[in-house]
Each structure stands twice: as structure tokens, then as C-alpha cells.
Amino acid sequence: MAWRSEILDWLKKLTVIPGPSGREEGVREVVASLIEPFVDKLWIDTWGNLVGLKKGSSGEGKLMIAAHIDEIGLFVSHIEDDGFLRVVPIGGIPERTLLYQRVVLRTRDGRLVRGVIGLKPPHIAKPEELQKIPEMRELFVDIGASSREEVEKAGVRVGDVLVFDRDVAELMNNRVAGKAFDDRVGVVSLIKAAQLLEEPKVDTYFVATVQEEVGLKGARTSAFAISPDAAVAIDVTIASDIPGVAKAEWFTRLGKGPAIKIVDGRSASGLIAHPRIVEFLISIAEKYKVPYQLEVAAGGTTDASIIALNKEGVPAGTISIPSRYIHSPVEVVDLNDVYNTALLAKYFAEEATPEWLREIKGRVLK
Ligand code: CO
Ligand code: ZN
């Protein structure tokens, strides 16, 4: 497992950097430095997406592989006279995951400010208060300041962003826990796939997208610019193989390989993966003996669902990395799944031909 230490190292590097939606520049810088040796061209577009292009030998056809670099977080919305910060969410960050968490903020001049989300201790809480989860507007961040002036002197301003303050913890069985694995594990796979990809026949665009957590925005603009013939997003999905969830609802399981998504969610915003992409991914996984599972999920979606709607439509699918406790500071993934996701993405890009890309598009009947 020569890949293990490298993947773990990249994951540690990428997860510690605060990068909530709209504030991805720190993460993007590190991704750029890691992926740069493996691509022919590299640029940042107007919206902030990082795009790396590996040229195809045929000079025809475009494949897009996307993983988002943003994470959930909080905006500072108000500073109290006594130095506490009030916050509003960035993306889906439920109140119950915030209680008693450590959070961190990077000021405009680069200083790190740490804080905690405190609560009234049980000793003085009313019995009914102990039963319920406070609302976002009741929560506050304590950075240790005792006045608004101290907060300002520390460089903190309304509009600054906070994220969970957590290191990567190594668990048993090659499993790791940490924050922002959604979707930094996908980004790690993306970089690894770029490294492993040797001679693609079609142009392969590796895109580190921004603002996924607030509506798949970076994927929309980058897909428009690239205009791919086919696309795959790499993102986490729900590994529900935990106590309290009926086995029929174990959408994916940790360590059983990347999940080839069939469908996620039944809403207008969800994805029904293109059947030709699904079949292609399955055949590639079989051919190269990459372990995989099939995913029929109940909710959530990925960049693929917006890329699919680009221009006249793009055949798109998702390779999912099973993750437990998504959108928390203790998301858990299996490093084998991360590596196998990179392998599957690499083979996908390697096996795609201009002929296949033409074949999966629309056709003239008369
Ligand atoms: Co997410
Ligand atoms: Zn995600």
C-alpha cells in the first residue's frame, strides 16, 4: 500500500485549511500545487474553480471530472458588545452538530482565531432546555474576547467565516475521521487520478469546483466553459451502515469500494445518472477488478446533477466515496475506498474514446 501515506498526507493537508463556500482560495492554492505536476495546463476561472487539463492523444472529445473544494461552515453575522460572535450557516450545517464544537476563523490578514460554541451548563438550564436543540440564532461563538473592541483588534469582522477545528484521526482498519471529508476525500481522489492517468485519448479536465454546498454553483459555470461530452463527479455519499439504521437503508457501506451512483434523491435537483455512464463505470470496475458497489440513495446530490443540465445536456454520473456522519466534524471514510475511487476515475478517463463520446450523444434519425 505505497499509496496510503501519500493519500493520508494529502488529506491531512487539505482538510485543515478552512474553505467554506465562497472562501475556497486557501484550499485551491494547495490543490493547485499538488495537481500541477500531473496536468498540461492549469488555470483558475472567473468563478474560482481550479481547472487542470490533461491533453488527449486523439485531439478530440472532452471529459470532465469534478470534485468540490468547498465545505460547510458559518458566517459571522454579528458581534456582541461583550465579545461573543453570532453566526449564520454556510450550506447544510445542522445546529445539533455545532454544540460544544471548536471552530476556527482565518482573518483577512491571515491570523488564526480559535473559538468554541458554548451552551448554558446543565446546572442552570431549565429541564425543557436540556431536551431541545437550540436554534442557530441562539448559538454564539466564544473566542475568549470580553468586548467588541477586542474582537475587532483580533482582526475579526462581520462576514468572516468559521469552520470546524479538527485534525484527521486515524481509526482502525484504514479508516480515518475528520472534518470537511465532504469533499476533500473526493479532491484527494481527483489529484490521485490525475497522477495515475497516463495516456488519455480524450482531453480530460480535472475540476476542483467551488460553492457546491450552496447549490452546485462552481460546477455549473465550469461545465459551461468546458462544455464536456461526458462528466463524472467524485463526492462522498451516505454510508449508513451504522446502528439504528435498518439494513434495507444501508445505501452504501464503508470499505466496500467506490459506489457507482444510479440515483440520488427523487427531487427536481437530484441526479438520475446517465445509464451509459453507469454501465461504462461498471464494466471498467469489472475489467480492472476495482471493488465497487451500486448506490441508490435517498437524498443529497452532487455536481453531476448540474453538469448534466449544461447546454443541450451532458451524460453524467457520480463516483461516490462512502462516508459516515456527513456534514459533521467526525466524518469517517475508509482510505481503501478513496484510493479505489481514484483508480476507477483514472480507468474511466483512460478507457474513454472519441468514438464512445460520440456514441453516447444524441443521434439523427432521419
Ligand atoms: Co456536502
Ligand atoms: Zn459534497
Side-chain angles (χ1 to χ4, degrees):
M1 288 200 299
W3 51 266
R4 189 185 181 278
S5 59
E6 186 179 46
I7 278 185
L8 188 58
D9 177 55
W10 290 352
L11 185 58
K12 285 178 176 172
K13 269 197 189 115
L14 287 170
T15 57
V16 296
I17 310 166
S21 314
R23 300 286 185 276
E24 298 93 346
E25 47 292 328
V27 186
R28 186 173 54 226
E29 208 174 288
V30 178
V31 177
S33 70
L34 290 174
I35 206 167
E36 186 272 327
F38 315 131
V39 291
D40 302 314
K41 285 186 178 171
L42 187 65
W43 65 94
I44 298 166
D45 71 13
T46 307
W47 197 246
N49 303 292
L50 178 77
V51 188
L53 167 61
K54 199 146 181 166
K55 280 276 187 196
S57 55
S58 73
E60 201 195 323
K62 287 186 264 183
L63 199 67
M64 173 172 173
I65 307 179
H68 69 91
I69 50 174
D70 62 317
E71 69 187 288
I72 52 169
L74 301 164
F75 272 118
V76 176
S77 58
H78 179 78
I79 299 165
E80 302 275 356
D81 290 337
D82 47 10
F84 295 101
L85 313 180
R86 298 291 187 163
V87 292
V88 296
I90 306 171
I93 185 161
E95 283 88 345
R96 67 175 192 165
T97 63
L98 288 169
L99 310 181
Y100 299 115
Q101 291 302 326
R102 275 172 43 190
V103 288
V104 62
L105 177 153
R106 195 190 294 272
T107 63
R108 273 156 297 130
D109 54 14
R111 282 179 279 172
L112 280 184
V113 176
R114 299 203 132 86
V116 296
I117 298 179
L119 276 181
K120 202 190 275 188
H123 317 72
I124 56 167
K126 299 188 193 98
E128 61 271 24
E129 285 177 322
L130 290 172
Q131 297 305 315
K132 72 178 234 321
I133 295 156
E135 289 171 40
M136 193 65 70
R137 56 180 183 77
E138 297 172 279
L139 296 176
F140 56 86
V141 178
D142 183 350
I143 61 166
S146 42
S147 69
R148 183 200 302 269
E149 289 67 39
E150 279 184 14
V151 174
E152 284 164 359
K153 231 199 248 154
V156 178
R157 183 172 87 173
V158 164
D160 285 348
V161 292
L162 293 147
V163 295
F164 293 123
D165 188 10
R166 278 296 169 111
D167 291 337
V168 174
E170 293 177 52
L171 311 180
M172 293 173 60
N173 284 328
N174 243 349
R175 292 167 180 186
V176 289
K179 55 83 95 166
F181 283 7
D182 177 7
D183 185 27
R184 306 284 158 76
V185 291
V187 175
V188 166
S189 294
L190 185 85
I191 299 166
K192 191 72 191 166
Q195 181 197 48
L196 294 171
L197 178 59
E198 279 171 29
E199 282 242 319
K201 294 167 202 80
V202 302
D203 285 353
T204 307
Y205 292 79
F206 294 94
V207 188
T209 62
V210 295
Q211 299 198 36
E212 188 272 355
E213 296 290 355
V214 292
L216 320 177
K217 293 176 180 169
R220 179 193 291 248
T221 60
S222 54
F224 184 88
I226 293 164
S227 198
D229 299 304
V232 159
I234 303 175
D235 207 337
V236 297
T237 195
I238 307 157
S240 37
D241 54 341
I242 54 172
V245 183
K247 285 214 166 121
E249 284 164 25
W250 285 13
F251 301 119
T252 68
R253 299 169 68 171
L254 229 53
K256 299 288 177 196
I260 297 169
K261 193 188 290 284
I262 310 287
V263 59
D264 60 25
R266 289 150 287 202
S267 66
S269 60
L271 176 76
I272 298 171
H274 193 284
R276 295 296 301 271
I277 301 284
V278 170
E279 291 313 316
F280 196 55
L281 286 170
I282 292 173
S283 68
I284 287 164
E286 301 271 355
K287 179 174 170 186
Y288 292 100
K289 310 245 179 305
V290 181
Y292 70 96
Q293 41 193 327
L294 296 177
E295 175 197 352
V296 173
T301 194
T302 72
D303 279 343
S305 64
I306 208 79
I307 301 169
L309 298 179
N310 190 55
K311 297 185 180 174
E312 76 271 35
V314 178
T318 297
I319 307 175
S320 302
I321 301 172
S323 173
R324 290 178 182 164
Y325 328 120
I326 293 179
H327 286 201
S328 86
V330 293
E331 297 172 357
V332 172
V333 300
D334 188 316
L335 291 176
N336 293 296
D337 292 337
V338 180
Y339 177 64
N340 285 318
T341 297
L343 274 184
L344 189 55
K346 158 216 152 69
Y347 289 129
F348 177 72
E350 237 161 56
E351 291 277 314
T353 60
E355 297 74 41
W356 180 72
L357 289 177
R358 271 201 303 274
E359 192 194 310
I360 62 174
K361 290 189 123 173
R363 61 191 190 278
V364 177
L365 293 180
K366 190 178 174 187

